[in-house]
C-alpha cells in the first residue's frame, strides 16, 4: 500500500468513526430515560460544584430556637433537631456523595481492569490464581464485606470509600477478563501479535479499546450503587463523623424523629433515590446506545 492509499484509508476511518459517534449521539438523545438520567446527574454535579452559592445557609450553623421547623418560605425543606437547614445540608452532602461514588468506581476501574487484562490475556496459572482470589471476594455479600472492612478501618469517609472500592475491584476484574477472553483470539489481535507488538501494547491498544464499552456502562451503573453503599455505611455510623453533611448520616439522625419531623429523613432519602436513579438510567441509556446487540 502506497502513501496515498494509506492516507485515504486513514481518512475513511476518521469519517466512519465520526459518523458512528454522530449516530450514537442521535440514538442517545432519542432515549428518554437516558436523557432524564443525564439531566439528573448534571443537576447534582452542578449542585455540588456551586454549593456555596446555592445553599441559603451554612450546613454547620446551629440555631436551637429554630429546631424542628417544618418546610417554610425561609427553610424550604425545614430544619433538623439542631436547627440546621436541611436543604443546605443536602446541597453540601451532594459533594461527599458524588466524590465518594466517583472515587470508588475510579479505584475499582484503576485496579480491577489491569488485573482482568493480565488474567484474561495470559491465562494459565496466572488466570487461575487471580480468578480464585476474585471468586473468594465475590463469594461474600458485597455490603457485608464492605461493612466489615469499614468497621476494621474505623468511621471515616475515606475509609468507607476504600471499603466499598475493595468490593468493587473484583467485579471489574471479572468483567474485564470476560471481555479479554472474547477479544484475544480476534483477527486484529492475531495480526498485531504477528507484527511484533508487545503484550502490553496489544492489551492496551487493541483489547482494552474494544472492551471499553461494557466497562464504561458498568462503571456508570456502579456510581449509583456506590453512592447508595456509602449512604448505608454512613447510616450505620461508619461514614464521615458529624457534623459533616452526609445523606446517610442525615437519614440516621432523622430516623429518631420520624413521627414529629419526618422531613429530616424524607428529603435526604429522596436525594439518594434521585442520585441512584440518575446514574442507573444514564447507564441504561449508554448501554442501549453503545451495545451493538
Amino acid at each position: 500500500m502506497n502513501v496515498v492509499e494509506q492516507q485515504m484509508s486513514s481518512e475513511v476511518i476518521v469519517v466512519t468513526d465520526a459518523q458512528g459517534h454522530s449516530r450514537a449521539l442521535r440514538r442517545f438523545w432519542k432515549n428518554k430515560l437516558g436523557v432524564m438520567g443525564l439531566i439528573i446527574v448534571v443537576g447534582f454535579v452542578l449542585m455540588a460544584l456551586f454549593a456555596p452559592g446555592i445553599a441559603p445557609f451554612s450546613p454547620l450553623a446551629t440555631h436551637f430556637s429554630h429546631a424542628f421547623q417544618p418546610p417554610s418560605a425561609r427553610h424550604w425543606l425545614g430544619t433538623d433537631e439542631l436547627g440546621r437547614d436541611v436543604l443546605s445540608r443536602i446541597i453540601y452532602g451532594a459533594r461527599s456523595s458524588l466524590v465518594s461514588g466517583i472515587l470508588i468506581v475510579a479505584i475499582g476501574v484503576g485496579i480491577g481492569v489491569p488485573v482482568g487484562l493480565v488474567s484474561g490475556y495470559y491465562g494459565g496459572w496466572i488466570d487461575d490464581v487471580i480468578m480464585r482470589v476474585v471468586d473468594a471476594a465475590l463469594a461474600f455479600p458485597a455490603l457485608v464485606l464492605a461493612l466489615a472492612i469499614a468497621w476494621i478501618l474505623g468511621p471515616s469517609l475515606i475509609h468507607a470509600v476504600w471499603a466499598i472500592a475493595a468490593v468493587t475491584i473484583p467485579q471489574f476484574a471479572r468483567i474485564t477478563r470476560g471481555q479479554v477472553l472474547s477479544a484475544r483470539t480476534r483477527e486484529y489481535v492475531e495480526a498485531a501479535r504477528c507484527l511484533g507488538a508487545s503484550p502490553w501494547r496489544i492489551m492496551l491498544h487493541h483489547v482494552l479499546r474494544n472492551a471499553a464499552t461494557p466497562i464504561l456502562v458498568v462503571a456508570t451503573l456502579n456510581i449509583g450503587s456506590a453512592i447508595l453503599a456509602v449512604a448505608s455505611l454512613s447510616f450505620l455510623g461508619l461514614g464521615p463523623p458529624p457534623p459533616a453533611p452526609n445523606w446517610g448520616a442525615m437519614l440516621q439522625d432523622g430516623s429518631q424523629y420520624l413521627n414529629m419531623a419526618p422531613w429530616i429523613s424524607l428529603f435526604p432519602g429522596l436525594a439518594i433515590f434521585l442520585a441512584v436513579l440518575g446514574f442507573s438510567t444514564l447507564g441504561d441509556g449508554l448501554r442501549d446506545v453503545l451495545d451493538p446487540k
Side-chain angles (χ1 to χ4, degrees):
M1 183 181 294
N2 57 36
V3 176
V4 175
E5 291 176 339
Q6 290 179 354
Q7 183 176 0
M8 292 176 61
S9 177
S10 62
E11 290 176 353
V12 170
I13 293 173
V14 170
V15 172
T16 304
D17 290 342
Q19 292 176 347
H21 293 158
S22 178
R23 286 195 298 268
L25 284 175
R26 286 197 297 269
R27 287 199 303 269
F28 179 80
W29 289 117
K30 291 179 181 179
N31 190 310
K32 295 181 179 179
L33 286 178
V35 173
M36 182 188 72
L38 178 63
I39 293 173
I40 294 174
V41 169
V42 170
F44 275 108
V45 170
L46 293 177
M47 186 172 68
L49 289 175
F50 300 103
I54 298 175
F57 300 94
S58 169
L60 305 179
T62 58
H63 303 280
F64 295 101
S65 59
H66 298 164
F68 299 114
Q69 287 191 359
S72 62
R74 178 175 174 80
H75 299 282
W76 290 4
L77 302 185
T79 61
D80 61 10
E81 72 280 6
L82 299 179
R84 298 172 296 191
D85 184 67
V86 174
L87 175 59
S88 300
R89 290 181 62 79
I90 289 177
I91 292 174
Y92 274 89
R95 287 184 161 185
S96 62
S97 297
L98 292 181
V99 170
S100 59
I102 294 172
L103 273 178
I104 288 168
V105 173
I107 294 172
V109 171
I111 299 177
V113 169
V115 169
L117 276 174
V118 172
S119 177
Y121 185 82
Y122 286 103
W125 67 270
I126 297 178
D127 182 44
D128 291 338
V129 172
I130 293 177
M131 283 302 105
R132 295 299 76 76
V133 175
V134 169
D135 291 339
L138 292 176
F140 291 93
L143 187 58
V144 174
L145 182 58
L147 180 63
I149 297 174
W151 180 79
I152 294 172
L153 296 176
S156 168
L157 180 61
I158 190 63
H159 291 168
V161 166
W162 278 107
I164 302 170
V167 178
T168 308
I169 290 171
Q171 299 174 7
F172 283 102
R174 172 67 72 178
I175 293 169
T176 305
R177 173 184 178 269
Q179 295 298 315
V180 173
L181 288 178
S182 63
R184 70 178 183 178
T185 57
R186 300 285 177 86
E187 290 81 2
Y188 56 85
V189 175
E190 294 294 339
R193 189 179 293 113
C194 293
L195 290 174
S198 64
W200 278 106
R201 181 173 180 81
I202 294 174
M203 284 189 286
L204 295 178
H205 291 273
H206 300 282
V207 177
L208 184 58
R209 280 187 177 182
N210 292 276
T213 295
I215 295 173
L216 174 62
V217 173
V218 173
T220 305
L221 293 170
N222 273 19
I223 293 178
S225 301
I227 291 174
L228 183 60
V230 171
S232 301
L233 293 183
S234 300
F235 182 86
L236 297 173
L238 294 174
N246 181 273
W247 293 344
M250 293 174 67
L251 271 176
Q252 199 280 333
D253 293 339
S255 64
Q256 309 173 47
Y257 311 103
L258 287 177
N259 292 329
M260 59 182 298
W263 57 85
I264 301 177
S265 290
L266 174 62
F267 294 114
L270 183 60
I272 296 172
F273 167 75
L274 288 176
V276 176
L277 176 66
F279 281 104
S280 298
T281 52
L282 177 59
D284 286 339
L286 291 175
R287 180 188 59 192
D288 295 340
V289 170
L290 299 176
D291 190 355
K293 299 180 182 178

